[in-house]
């Protein structure tokens, strides 16, 4: 199937469930993204700041850009003028820097707090306790240029569906608990190409799909 057919197939699966699809386009050339764009799809997710900036500059300006990779504080300034949603806020320090750079650009930047749910050391994220602390009103009052709109999580890299479900379910439960206190926390970004169907069953309403749309990653030799 073509890129456009892949997107349409996934959208047909998920839109009726209230799930938003982010096409993860890291390592893909602009021509591939434009194929999707020309068919009317405008939500792309990138993992690397430099690559995101280059694509932003090369492509139409009505695209909704999502940053989904590990974000270093010293690189926030490059994406602050235009990024739509940062999925991977894994520390209070990073949130403060996003707030600072958003203020410089007269913007309020939407963010998801990345919660550590995997049973492996390679994944980043904050603990539930750290998340609770950030969401206290006295903490948020000094962060008027960021809007926390939900949570993001990545499961352990495993074929064990039971474990994947358990980790997604844990994040969904935590998200529900937080939403009682803060009704703005509506987004739950869980699920990628290999596990988005499970993620949706476990409560995800935002999925980050790359290889199922564009094929395998492309790296420069």
């Amino acid at each position: 199937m073509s890129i456009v057919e892949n997107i349409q197939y996934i959208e047909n699966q998920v839109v009726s469930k209230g799930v938003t699809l982010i096409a993860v386009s890291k390592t893909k050339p602009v021509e591939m993204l434009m194929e999707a764009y020309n068919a009317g799809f405008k939500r792309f997710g990138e993992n690397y700041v430099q690559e995101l900036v280059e694509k932003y500059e090369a492509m139409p300006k009505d695209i909704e850009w999502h940053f989904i990779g590990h974000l270093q504080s010293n690189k926030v300034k490059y994406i602050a003028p235009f990024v739509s949603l940062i999925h991977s806020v894994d520390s209070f320090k990073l949130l403060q820097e996003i707030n600072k750079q958003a203020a410089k650009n007269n913007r309020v930047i939407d963010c998801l707090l990345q919660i550590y749910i995997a049973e492996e050391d390679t994944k980043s994220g904050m603990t539930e306790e750290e998340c609770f602390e950030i969401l206290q009103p006295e903490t948020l009052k000094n962060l008027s240029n960021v809007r926390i709109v939900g949570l993001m999580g990545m499961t352990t890299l495993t074929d064990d569906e039971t474990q994947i479900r358990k980790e997604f379910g844990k994040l969904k439960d935590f998200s529900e608990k937080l939403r009682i206190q803060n009704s703005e926390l509506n987004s739950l970004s869980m699920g990628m190409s290999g596990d988005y169907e499970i993620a949706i069953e476990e409560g995800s309403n935002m999925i980050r799909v790359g290889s199922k749309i564009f094929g395998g990653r492309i790296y420069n030799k």
Side-chain angles (χ1 to χ4, degrees), residues 10 13 21 25 29 73-74 78 93 101 118 120 129 139 143 153 163 175 207:
I10 297 168
Q13 276 184 298
L21 169 64
S25 46
S73 294
N74 62 349
Y78 301 113
K93 175 175 167 265
Q101 298 300 333
E120 59 181 83
E129 291 72 25
T139 307
L143 296 170
Q163 184 171 351
S175 157
I207 56 173

Side-chain angles (χ1 to χ4, degrees), residues 18-41:
V19 175
T20 301
L21 169 64
I22 313 301
V24 178
S25 46
K26 65 180 176 185
T27 78
K28 304 301 179 201
V30 165
E31 298 76 47
M32 289 178 89
L33 279 69
M34 284 304 299
E35 223 177 291
Y37 178 86
N38 289 331
F41 190 83

